[in-house]
Amino acid sequence: MSETNGKFISCRGVNVHYGDFQAIKNVSVDIGSRQITSFIGPSGCGKSTFLRCFNRMNDLIDSCRVEGTITVGDQDIYASNYDVVELRTRVGMVFQKPNPFPKSIWDNIAYGPRLHGISNKTELDAIVERSLQRAGLWEEVKDKLSERGTRLSGGQQQRLCIARAISVSPEVILMDEPCSALDPIATARIEELMFELKEQYTIVIVTHSMQQAARTSQRTAFFHLGELIECGSTEDIFNKPQEKLTENYISGKIG
């Protein structure tokens, strides 16, 4: 992995089309290693579409076409011979709504490692415990690993999904509005967890909450109508933006 805060994801001239509609327009940006970068902007501005470029989730949409260059580490993830399955191991994703599998807590975490060929029960037990520890959930669920993940509270389910994402040792964690379905207490716990995880992972978060971006991220990128308007340190974006459009959004004049 790149050195702390060094460039880890690099995007150059990225365009995303859904049929005739252009959702992302010529975006170039670098994402630092082992820090939290937030994408902010009005609904429909393209921030989630752009996030999904990093693990090629947009490939699942027939009408979608991605142009430009995106590298993770030093590898061009859109190269014709690049293994998308490997990419989704390296780049985990946590969605807006917690989506645990309808399986036991243990099976939710062991699913990815098993898929990658790990079958030894002792090894899987260790991965399950380690992943739940990192997600701050172990003490709450260690005595009910055989119970369904769907029986947990919303905040616990989201931490379970984070544990599932990190069980395959990714380098990057993408979070698409991970707290929008959660109450303030669960949101605070997820934010604390993000701080802990950035010591080991590169985290990119899409958030509709400017307060969350300001609290959690080191860098912020502001999108508007498919364009990247401005990207910089979170402190600069919120306190001394360079672009009038950014200032208008931060101040609530547009939204």
Side-chain angles (χ1 to χ4, degrees):
M1 188 181 280
S2 303
E3 289 299 309
T4 302
N5 298 338
K7 177 176 70 177
F8 191 65
I9 300 174
S10 182
C11 309
R12 293 293 176 268
V14 175
N15 296 288
V16 181
H17 300 262
Y18 294 109
D20 295 331
F21 173 69
Q22 186 167 1
I24 295 294
K25 302 169 184 173
N26 196 33
V27 170
S28 296
V29 69
D30 293 324
I31 307 291
S33 174
R34 298 189 198 180
Q35 60 180 210
I36 301 169
T37 302
S38 61
F39 292 169
I40 63 171
S43 294
C45 68
K47 52 191 187 292
S48 290
T49 294
F50 188 58
L51 184 80
R52 290 194 296 266
C53 290
F54 298 161
N55 65 349
R56 291 183 54 174
M57 286 288 286
N58 292 320
D59 289 15
L60 303 173
I61 302 169
D62 288 341
S63 65
C64 189
R65 185 173 83 257
V66 178
E67 302 164 342
T69 304
I70 300 177
T71 58
V72 175
D74 296 320
Q75 294 182 293
D76 179 357
I77 65 169
Y78 281 87
S80 58
N81 60 348
Y82 191 79
D83 183 350
V84 179
V85 175
E86 182 200 336
L87 175 66
R88 290 181 189 148
T89 302
R90 296 177 67 202
V91 183
M93 186 149 189
V94 176
F95 295 91
Q96 182 172 354
K97 190 170 180 234
N99 62 340
F101 300 141
K103 299 172 179 282
S104 72
I105 292 168
W106 191 93
D107 281 323
N108 264 274
I109 309 301
Y111 180 85
R114 277 172 156 171
L115 210 59
H116 291 91
I118 297 173
S119 57
N120 180 280
K121 176 74 162 56
T122 304
E123 192 175 350
L124 288 169
D125 281 342
I127 290 169
V128 168
E129 180 173 349
R130 185 170 65 245
S131 302
L132 288 167
Q133 290 269 21
R134 283 183 181 160
L137 194 56
W138 175 250
E139 291 301 324
E140 294 165 54
V141 303
K142 64 183 180 183
D143 297 322
K144 46 186 178 184
L145 295 177
S146 60
E147 292 184 16
R148 285 197 165 212
T150 49
R151 294 180 62 182
L152 297 171
S153 71
Q156 288 175 321
Q157 286 188 31
Q158 195 64 301
R159 280 184 281 149
L160 178 63
C161 292
I162 292 169
R164 187 178 65 195
I166 62 182
S167 68
V168 292
S169 302
E171 296 160 291
V172 180
I173 303 173
L174 310 178
M175 296 184 168
D176 192 355
E177 301 207 17
C179 301
S180 65
L182 304 180
D183 62 50
I185 292 170
T187 294
R189 185 65 194 92
I190 296 290
E191 290 180 1
E192 286 171 21
L193 176 56
M194 287 163 58
F195 273 120
E196 294 162 17
L197 292 175
K198 80 176 173 65
E199 300 302 317
Q200 291 178 278
Y201 307 97
T202 297
I203 298 175
V204 189
I205 176 173
V206 164
T207 179
H208 66 284
S209 165
M210 284 189 279
Q211 293 85 357
Q212 184 170 67
R215 283 193 303 265
T216 62
S217 59
Q218 288 72 58
R219 289 181 66 76
T220 295
F222 169 57
F223 288 81
H224 189 261
L225 297 178
E227 296 184 34
L228 175 61
I229 304 302
E230 189 170 351
C231 182
S233 77
T234 298
E235 187 176 354
D236 285 348
I237 293 292
F238 280 91
N239 295 321
K240 43 184 179 185
Q242 301 296 304
E243 301 293 331
K244 187 67 178 171
L245 203 55
T246 313
E247 185 184 326
N248 286 345
Y249 181 72
I250 297 295
S251 66
K253 290 178 185 169
I254 60 170

